[in-house]
Amino acid sequence: MAQPLDLPSTSANIGLPLLFTGQAQKEVFINEGLALIDALMPGAISASRNEPPTSPVEGTAYRVTGEATASWAGREDELAIYLAGSWRFVEPQDGMVFFDRAAGALIHFDTSWHTATPPQPLDGGSVVDSEARAAIAALITALENVGIFAKS
């Protein structure tokens, strides 16, 4: 007779709750998993911050930043999702990419969170090439407009 699989209680990547034989109230676990997927699937977070908002909206996601406080204390770098009146936390995985709505820029996770920063505008020098400066400024503006760089 084959050995039954010994599965964990949550999924490997974002900790979705898994069902098991004889489990009571399966709909609670299924609904929690669907709510987590619903919060993360759009690929956007409301903001990056170190404290929970005072009036969070159901299903909103945030990136917890350094020196987190209140109910987010000790959850730095995690994603905080407000579900059913409380916070649910998801550990980021390498390769996750989100659009931070408050910053207007993409953030990605690779052992820690990163965002693109625009280069400093050219200033000075013995030879000023106005065409090169205009081209670089236009490039920076274009990258800001698509969310690669945060708007300055």
Side-chain angles (χ1 to χ4, degrees):
M1 185 160 123
Q3 285 285 90
L5 295 175
D6 185 23
L7 295 172
S9 61
T10 59
S11 67
N13 291 314
I14 62 171
L16 296 174
L18 299 176
L19 302 177
F20 53 89
T21 305
Q23 181 177 18
Q25 296 184 325
K26 288 179 173 37
E27 68 278 2
V28 173
F29 292 86
I30 290 172
N31 289 341
E32 180 185 5
L34 290 173
L36 284 169
I37 291 169
D38 182 68
L40 296 173
M41 186 60 102
I45 59 169
S46 293
S48 297
R49 45 188 302 157
N50 70 336
E51 63 184 3
T54 54
S55 300
V57 175
E58 181 73 16
T60 54
Y62 297 87
R63 175 177 65 115
V64 181
T65 59
E67 298 305 316
T69 62
S71 59
W72 290 3
R75 299 295 194 155
E76 291 80 3
D77 281 345
E78 293 183 30
L79 298 168
I81 303 165
Y82 193 70
L83 296 176
S86 65
W87 292 103
R88 176 78 155 77
F89 297 93
V90 173
E91 268 194 56
Q93 303 296 313
D94 286 348
M96 281 185 163
V97 177
F98 289 95
F99 181 76
D100 183 325
R101 291 182 179 118
L106 293 172
I107 58 171
H108 71 277
F109 191 83
D110 181 15
T111 66
S112 64
W113 289 102
H114 304 279
T115 188
T117 55
Q120 294 296 317
L122 299 174
D123 187 28
S126 60
V127 177
V128 177
D129 184 340
S130 60
E131 286 184 67
R133 287 178 190 242
I136 291 172
L139 177 61
I140 290 170
T141 300
L143 293 172
E144 286 176 341
N145 289 339
V146 296
I148 304 261
F149 292 153
K151 294 188 180 195
S152 49

